[in-house]
Amino acid sequence: MSLNLTFFRCSRLTCSCSPFCYLTGDSFTFRFEWFYRLLPKGTMVKYFCCAGLLKCTWDQACVAYWQRYPNPYSNHVLTEDIIFREVTPSNCLISRRLMTKTSRAPRWMERYLPKHMSSLAYVIEDSIVDPQKRTMTTLTWNITHARLMSVEERCVYGINSENSNWTEIKREAWISSKVYGLSRAIQEFGLARFKTSATKTMKGFEYILAKMQGETPSRTLAETATERARGTALAAKEKAKDLASQAQKKQYV
């Protein structure tokens, strides 16, 4: 589902929390307080949430998460670097990573971006893996083009309530823009791109999981289309040879 929400500035003007204290708090409270403070009062935010299911155990999902790049569905991810990582006294693994991605903007949006930055985006990803609660929570947000469009995503990976051998993913996103007069159009564009990205993320997960389990990953749409195109071209070539052969035979009759 998707809906428009209006957020106002948090009344809390100072926050002395460490970079990861919001991860151990309730629902990323501190992180989102910081996010709201950056938004002008009354800023419209596009909210989206969805759920997914991976037919693998929670442990397998966590391993696949750290091995998911590269895969055929994530060609837009260029680099991933670990900025910070540690294990807390409660045995939770907390990490912060910086990722570089290609992010082709629509032509009508490129006029608002510097030419050398219109196709690249830098994204921060924070995560916490809690082996006791059997949950992994991630929060990502872009640090480039944030004034044009800011996208914050929160994912929670947990054990499925109906099948303990499956993993469920609860995904939320907050999309905002500070461009006067174009914010609504930019938010709609961001939402559409986010939905597409979420679908590819799930396919990428399934691809990596299949490789981990020694199975043959399902072919991507691009691979299937390429094979079909080759088959069509080969059939056309053979047909052309037959026609040429028949034409030559008629000349000698």
Side-chain angles (χ1 to χ4, degrees):
M1 68 176 182
S2 62
L3 64 153
N4 282 316
L5 297 177
T6 302
F7 291 113
F8 298 93
R9 287 184 179 180
C10 176
S11 58
R12 185 171 180 171
L13 299 178
T14 59
C15 180
S16 59
C17 59
S18 67
F20 290 94
C21 75
Y22 62 85
L23 287 170
T24 56
D26 181 26
S27 303
F28 291 88
T29 301
F30 297 107
R31 170 61 188 157
F32 285 118
E33 283 183 355
W34 174 82
F35 174 59
Y36 298 156
R37 286 203 302 272
L38 294 180
L39 297 175
K41 186 176 181 180
T43 297
M44 294 297 295
V45 176
K46 199 77 172 178
Y47 173 75
F48 173 79
C49 67
C50 63
L53 189 66
L54 294 172
K55 294 183 179 181
C56 66
T57 64
W58 180 81
D59 298 87
Q60 291 173 328
C62 289
V63 173
Y65 182 84
W66 301 112
Q67 299 181 8
R68 59 180 177 157
Y69 301 130
N71 69 72
Y73 300 95
S74 65
N75 294 326
H76 64 294
V77 180
L78 303 179
T79 63
E80 51 178 336
D81 299 284
I82 299 174
I83 300 175
F84 177 88
R85 175 167 285 172
E86 74 173 17
V87 178
T88 68
S90 58
N91 288 326
C92 290
L93 175 67
I94 56 177
S95 307
R96 169 167 287 185
R97 298 196 299 172
L98 172 66
M99 292 182 285
T100 307
K101 301 181 179 183
T102 57
S103 181
R104 180 72 180 183
R107 290 188 176 182
W108 62 267
M109 193 184 295
E110 288 182 352
R111 60 184 298 185
Y112 300 100
L113 297 173
K115 291 183 179 180
H116 66 285
M117 294 178 63
S118 60
S119 60
L120 288 179
Y122 297 96
V123 177
I124 293 290
E125 175 199 81
D126 284 353
S127 63
I128 179 169
V129 181
D130 190 332
Q132 295 181 348
K133 296 181 180 179
R134 312 290 283 177
T135 60
M136 177 172 66
T137 306
T138 65
L139 180 68
T140 59
W141 69 97
N142 59 300
I143 57 176
T144 52
H145 320 319
R147 186 174 184 82
L148 179 69
M149 182 174 68
S150 176
V151 180
E152 296 225 2
E153 178 190 30
R154 177 177 183 260
C155 294
V156 179
Y157 300 77
I159 298 175
N160 181 256
S161 58
E162 298 180 358
N163 189 329
S164 60
N165 291 320
W166 291 358
T167 305
E168 62 182 17
I169 305 174
K170 297 180 181 179
R171 191 184 308 272
E172 295 177 284
W174 292 260
I175 305 168
S176 63
S177 174
K178 298 179 183 179
V179 180
Y180 179 77
L182 292 175
S183 61
R184 190 174 296 276
I186 293 174
Q187 287 174 7
E188 290 294 340
F189 165 77
L191 177 60
R193 173 165 289 187
F194 179 84
K195 290 180 179 179
T196 301
S197 176
T199 301
K200 290 183 177 180
T201 297
M202 293 298 294
K203 289 183 178 293
F205 252 117
E206 294 170 354
Y207 182 91
I208 296 300
L209 285 168
K211 291 186 65 176
M212 286 173 52
Q213 296 168 2
E215 301 175 0
T216 303
S218 59
R219 293 178 178 176
T220 64
L221 293 176
E223 291 172 338
T224 303
T226 300
E227 184 172 345
R228 287 180 178 176
R230 288 176 180 173
T232 302
L234 182 61
K237 186 176 181 180
E238 292 298 328
K239 186 175 182 179
K241 286 183 179 180
D242 291 340
L243 292 175
S245 178
Q246 293 176 10
Q248 288 180 352
K249 289 180 179 178
K250 288 182 179 180
Q251 289 180 356
Y252 293 103
V253 173

